[in-house]
Each structure stands twice: as structure tokens, then as C-alpha cells.
């Protein structure tokens, strides 16, 4: 029972072995393959939102208010950079 085998990965149920359970979980998370045009559209939209946030921050600073829009986008930016 301590031996690792592909038999432990059959079916949708995670195996009892913790190592094989981790392998099973990783296998389920297959990357979604996107077309180049979809990636370009996604990047264009993301850059548009970044520019909009920068413009809003600039306007806020002219009104002597804190510009926080870019800072609020930081988790999304980090997520996007991690996707590579």
C-alpha cells in the first residue's frame, strides 16, 4: 500500500495516499489553452484598465486627493504577471 502507482489516480476521487492526492489535484488543474487573439484581447483590455486607473489617479492628485486606483489594481497585476 505504500508504493506509488498510477492505479491510485483512476477515477475522480482523490486517493488516500497524500502524495498521490497532491498529484491528482495537480493533474486536474490543466491549463486552459487560449488562442493568440484571445490573449491579445485580454492584454489590450487589461492595459486599457491600467491606463484608466492611471488617469483617474492623476485627476485625483490634481484635486489633492490620494490616487489609489493603481494601488487597488496591484493584486490583479501580480496575478496577470504570474500567469505567464
Amino acid at each position: 500500500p505504500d508504493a506509488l502507482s498510477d492505479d491510485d489516480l483512476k477515477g475522480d476521487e482523490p486517493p488516500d495516499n497524500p502524495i498521490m492526492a497532491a498529484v491528482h489535484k495537480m493533474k486536474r488543474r490543466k491549463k486552459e489553452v487560449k488562442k493568440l487573439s484571445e490573449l491579445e484581447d485580454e492584454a489590450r483590455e487589461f492595459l486599457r484598465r491600467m491606463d484608466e486607473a492611471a488617469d483617474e489617479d492623476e485627476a485625483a492628485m490634481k484635486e489633492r486627493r490620494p490616487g489609489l486606483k493603481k494601488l487597488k489594481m496591484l493584486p490583479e497585476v501580480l496575478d496577470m504577471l504570474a500567469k505567464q
Side-chain angles (χ1 to χ4, degrees):
D2 289 345
L4 301 177
S5 70
D6 285 339
D7 294 337
D8 294 337
L9 293 178
K10 302 265 190 268
D12 290 334
E13 294 181 22
D16 293 335
N17 182 328
I19 294 172
M20 292 311 291
V23 169
H24 178 76
K25 188 175 182 181
M26 289 169 44
K27 282 189 174 185
R28 283 189 313 192
R29 288 191 206 158
K30 291 187 178 176
K31 279 193 173 183
E32 181 181 315
V33 177
K34 293 184 181 182
K35 294 181 182 176
L36 183 60
S37 60
E38 291 175 339
L39 293 173
E40 288 174 344
D41 291 343
E42 194 175 300
R44 220 175 270 116
E45 171 63 20
F46 187 70
L47 290 173
R48 184 197 63 76
R49 289 188 295 132
M50 287 178 69
D51 284 338
E52 186 178 303
D55 292 342
E56 289 178 18
D57 280 356
E58 190 175 326
M61 288 186 282
K62 284 181 181 178
E63 296 174 6
R64 303 188 62 76
R65 295 183 293 122
L68 301 174
K69 296 289 184 177
K70 290 187 293 188
L71 190 58
K72 286 181 182 178
M73 280 194 76
L74 186 58
E76 192 175 351
V77 171
L78 294 174
D79 184 47
M80 186 66 77
L81 290 173
K83 283 184 182 179
Q84 293 184 353

